[in-house]
Amino acid sequence: MSSRRTSRHQRLRRGAPLRRANRWPIWLDVLLRLGVAFLLVGIVVLVHWSDRAGLHDSHDGQISFLDVVYFTMISVTTTGFGDITPVSDRARLIEAVIVTPIRIAVLFIFIGTAYRFVLKQTWEKWRMARIQAKLTDHIVVLGFGVSGSEAVRELIARGTDPAQIVVVDGARHRVDAAEQMGCNVLEGDASNDDTLLDIRVERARSVLVSAGRDDTTILIVLTVRHLAPQVPISVVIRSQDNELLARQAGATNVINPVSFTGLLLAGSAQGEHVADYIADLAGIDGRVQLRERAIVDDEIGRSIDELATSGRGLSLYRQGKAYGFWEKEARLLQRDDIIVEVVVRDPRVAKS
């Protein structure tokens, strides 16, 4: 029943497009542009008024201030009815040297404003809507605090295209930071069904959740799991008591930074190089990397010690159960097995 309601919801509603952060409010930018344009027009009015003797009005032969304003507007807009014309050499020189550059500047301001607020925004909305409609196999990051931002940096360092990362956060400055990294961004509530439907969470490759609070994180996991039953979800949980709750909510991987720090400290107590090697495995800057992948056809029937990549196999996952490299199941790889291996870092990825 709930799945039918969700699919009906997806058909009926129009998703909010992904947004890009603007440095200036629109109204302030418009006022600034119009202010500059009217300032330039005012300068032309003063110039024409100071040299009104060089103008001729074919209607009544008199040049009033209203006539100057009228002439300025039709001159700046290049309308040119011909009823008021510059007749003296000085007036014509002023038109050529002063008024014409100002006329061009005003036209550029109005054309630029029209492009900025009509054409460009329409184009950007259309482009983002197309990107949004085609989102698939992307990585969703819900929460762009310390953990979320570091995860995105690590993903990009490992070769993930920022265009394949979608960041959702409720804070504008965090959304701006993610946008500067090249990610698709959406400012909103990550625990809201509509927000997650807008970013096509059901088509995502993986979802990373780091909301800063365990209760909020678990609520987000429940919402994601409801909308995307098959998508892997990795979460950051800071209290050990909440790890089980996160798993029950539907999290695939639960990461506790406090526990991980404790592991590093304990490892360093048993030897000065243990903690360094764990950190080496975890980051892109290390000499080796941990990698999870499906086995290839050439590896079927081989041992986990005989991988095609020349990596060192550590464990395999078969039908949801884990086996270590020392267990007999690891001596004969089967189709659909997933392995975790240690491979030498690709220096090209690190440099890029």
Side-chain angles (χ1 to χ4, degrees), residues 252-311:
T252 311
N253 300 301
V254 177
I255 301 166
N256 189 323
V258 177
S259 298
F260 185 72
T261 302
L263 291 175
L264 290 177
L265 287 173
S268 64
Q270 295 178 352
E272 60 179 308
H273 303 300
V274 174
D276 288 341
Y277 194 76
I278 294 176
D280 194 350
L281 285 173
I284 188 62
D285 294 328
R287 293 179 297 174
V288 291
Q289 288 180 310
L290 280 175
R291 183 171 65 179
E292 177 181 324
R293 64 175 177 86
I295 66 169
V296 297
D297 291 341
D298 292 344
E299 295 170 333
I300 298 175
R302 293 187 186 182
S303 166
I304 198 172
D305 296 324
E306 302 173 319
L307 300 179
T309 59
S310 300

Side-chain angles (χ1 to χ4, degrees), residues 5 13-14 45 48 109 152 156 187 210 215 220-221 225 248 254 259 274 282 314 317 321 351:
R5 183 184 64 182
R13 69 183 299 277
R14 294 183 62 186
V45 170
H48 281 157
I109 289 174
V152 170
I156 295 174
E187 183 181 348
S210 177
D215 54 350
I220 293 174
V221 172
R225 184 53 71 213
Q248 291 177 338
V254 177
S259 298
V274 174
L314 300 180
Y317 292 82
K321 188 174 181 180
K351 289 179 181 180

Side-chain angles (χ1 to χ4, degrees), residues 159-192:
T160 302
D161 185 357
Q164 284 297 108
I165 300 175
V166 178
V167 173
V168 178
D169 199 286
R172 172 59 63 88
H173 68 279
R174 292 179 178 176
V175 168
D176 291 346
E179 187 256 343
Q180 291 298 323
M181 297 171 69
C183 302
N184 300 299
V185 297
L186 182 64
E187 183 181 348
D189 181 3
S191 65
N192 185 279

